[in-house]
Amino acid sequence: MVGLFSRMVVAMTIRMPRWFVGWVSRRYVAGPTLDDAVKVMKRLSKEGACFTIDVLGEEISTMEEAQFFLEEYQRVVSAIIDNDLDSNLSIKPTAFGLLLDKDKGMENIEAIVKMAHGYDMFVRLDMEDHRVTDDTIQVMLDMHEKGLTNVGVVLQGRLFRTLDDIKSIEEKIGPNADYRICKGIYLEPEQIAHSTRQPIIDATNQCIDAMLDSGAYVGIASHDHPVINHTLTALESRGMGPGKEDPRSNAGPARKQKGPGYEFQMLLGVRGPLRRKLCNQGHTTRVYIPYGEKWYEYSIRRLKENPTIGTQVAKAFLMPWTNRP
Ligand code: FDA
């Protein structure tokens, strides 16, 4: 029933005029320009949030587009420094050309990671669908091998492989690992991923435990109460929490502009009251700020990739009390 409703919302939305999609996405996307993103961050800074910035756009078809992303992210780094913002970067390896020309793609990624490294700024590699899981993890490992340890990956709880990935990353870089863990937005084949709600939650929670036990830094990217409540209990049982130095004996190095071994992360426009509550309790809370000219393509692709977002967006508008920005 929910699936049918979601598909209806998606089918209707993608037929709507651009202005309507723009009106809906205004809440989830800072705007078309870097200036828009800076304005949103300045506003949300007053709520105690910190940020990670995403220039919209992913799989590209030419290396000229990859060059655009490299240059735009260079502008982002400068804007973060010039405006003294507490923010890092979220990049999609495919937007830098990884699937088109692996060597040049790696060169582009290394260029932005090096620039960020010069400012002690962290770079998160967003995780795309299962075709690039291995490559994305490998990019992170290669950067660490080159001494660029300001890079971490996203892992997705819904994938069966993720617990093994955590183990294998731990063997290679130990507590220098810095993760974002999320459920995973892509609807993956059922041979490789959980596809229903409770198993996805359980698997994500197991990954959070494994990451915390490995001594890694963990960014918990979820708006879902069972995941957040599990995290709060997992932190407490390990003596971790706001204002406490990370007590894990195997913990990695303290990180600039990060929490004590962990942080919560949420998307712009989603469950603001929950984020503010966690922030008021003293937890580091990071908001994911997407911006860019490609807001329309991004919104439509996200809806098509995962129609359940249709229900969430409809709920946010029809029952705003369930999801205030
Ligand atoms: P769930 O989907 O159950 O959401 C809980 C509630 O939150 C919903 O009922 C609704 O009220 C609200 N909500 C959640 N998402 C919403 C939305 N888009 N619009 C409106 N309301 C919404 N995935 C991935 O594959 N690779 C990645 O790199 C990332 N990166 C990433 C960064 C950050 C900071 C976040 C928060 C999430 C991601 N994700 C991601 C997406 C993630 O995998 C997942 O799809 C979403 O966070 C939704 O899952 P929840 O755990 O929030 O639960």
Side-chain angles (χ1 to χ4, degrees):
M1 182 64 190
V2 171
L4 185 64
F5 178 66
S6 298
R7 272 169 231 285
M8 271 169 47
V9 172
V10 172
M12 279 176 351
T13 308
I14 61 183
R15 281 172 182 76
M16 290 290 182
R18 200 178 157 97
W19 67 261
F20 178 80
V21 179
W23 179 72
V24 172
S25 66
R26 210 172 43 181
R27 153 191 190 138
Y28 304 107
V29 175
T33 68
L34 178 53
D35 275 356
D36 295 322
V38 169
K39 269 187 210 132
V40 169
M41 287 186 281
K42 284 189 173 163
R43 177 167 55 79
L44 293 183
S45 290
K46 296 188 187 123
E47 297 180 357
C50 55
F51 310 99
T52 187
I53 305 182
D54 167 46
V55 181
L56 290 175
E58 33 224 278
E59 237 182 272
I60 52 167
S61 50
T62 66
M63 287 310 283
E64 285 73 47
E65 288 172 90
Q67 185 62 28
F68 161 81
F69 280 103
L70 173 57
E71 287 168 15
E72 187 64 16
Y73 270 105
Q74 288 167 337
R75 291 181 58 226
V76 172
V77 172
S78 302
I80 291 173
I81 300 300
D82 293 348
N83 291 283
D84 198 18
L85 293 164
D86 184 349
S87 179
N88 59 43
L89 310 179
S90 282
I91 69 170
K92 294 196 169 50
T94 61
F96 282 72
L98 199 69
L99 284 180
L100 291 180
D101 176 342
K102 204 163 183 172
D103 289 343
K104 182 67 185 144
M106 277 297 284
E107 215 177 276
N108 286 342
I109 295 169
E110 189 174 337
I112 194 65
V113 170
K114 259 194 187 147
M115 180 178 180
H117 191 259
Y119 294 105
D120 212 357
M121 190 185 290
F122 182 76
V123 181
R124 176 72 62 198
L125 305 182
D126 281 351
M127 188 57 85
E128 299 167 80
D129 67 59
H130 70 275
R131 292 171 304 156
V132 290
T133 312
D134 282 330
D135 281 348
T136 306
I137 293 173
Q138 195 54 49
V139 170
M140 181 274 291
L141 293 173
D142 288 355
M143 294 296 146
H144 276 248
E145 211 169 299
K146 290 176 185 217
L148 298 168
T149 54
N150 58 322
V151 185
V153 273
V154 178
L155 295 181
Q156 297 150 323
R158 74 164 66 222
L159 293 186
F160 297 149
R161 58 178 285 171
T162 300
L163 281 177
D164 288 338
D165 286 335
I166 296 167
K167 207 174 269 159
S168 123
I169 293 171
E170 184 185 358
E171 279 162 17
K172 290 175 182 128
I173 59 170
N176 279 327
D178 184 324
Y179 296 110
R180 174 191 299 153
I181 173 74
C182 60
K183 289 180 181 173
I185 198 165
Y186 303 92
L187 296 183
E188 300 285 14
E190 58 185 31
Q191 294 83 349
I192 62 163
H194 298 285
S195 54
T196 50
R197 180 173 156 77
Q198 194 57 45
I200 292 175
I201 291 173
D202 293 342
T204 304
N205 287 344
Q206 271 182 22
C207 293
I208 291 168
D209 291 342
M211 288 172 172
L212 289 172
D213 288 339
S214 75
Y217 189 87
V218 190
I220 300 96
S222 176
H223 320 88
D224 202 15
H225 291 292
V227 174
I228 289 172
N229 291 339
H230 175 87
T231 303
L232 292 171
T233 307
L235 292 172
E236 201 180 340
S237 70
R238 289 166 179 79
M240 298 171 75
K244 294 181 192 163
E245 217 171 284
D246 189 344
R248 294 173 299 169
S249 57
N250 61 348
R255 285 140 161 113
K256 192 185 153 206
Q257 294 187 317
K258 294 242 181 176
Y262 75 96
E263 64 188 40
F264 288 98
Q265 301 184 354
M266 297 197 186
L267 300 172
L268 178 66
V270 178
R271 293 216 156 151
L274 179 58
R275 172 174 56 77
R276 286 185 282 273
K277 184 174 162 199
L278 289 167
C279 182
N280 289 338
Q281 289 168 354
H283 301 284
T284 300
T285 55
R286 189 174 303 279
V287 185
Y288 188 94
I289 309 282
Y291 84 90
E293 297 290 347
K294 295 258 169 80
W295 59 267
Y296 179 78
E297 294 78 359
Y298 167 83
S299 310
I300 295 295
R301 183 163 45 229
R302 280 285 179 271
L303 282 169
K304 284 184 179 166
E305 264 163 8
N306 188 345
T308 58
I309 295 174
T311 322
Q312 294 174 356
V313 172
K315 228 170 89 185
F317 282 86
L318 300 175
M319 299 188 285
W321 57 92
T322 63
N323 179 23
R324 278 182 283 132

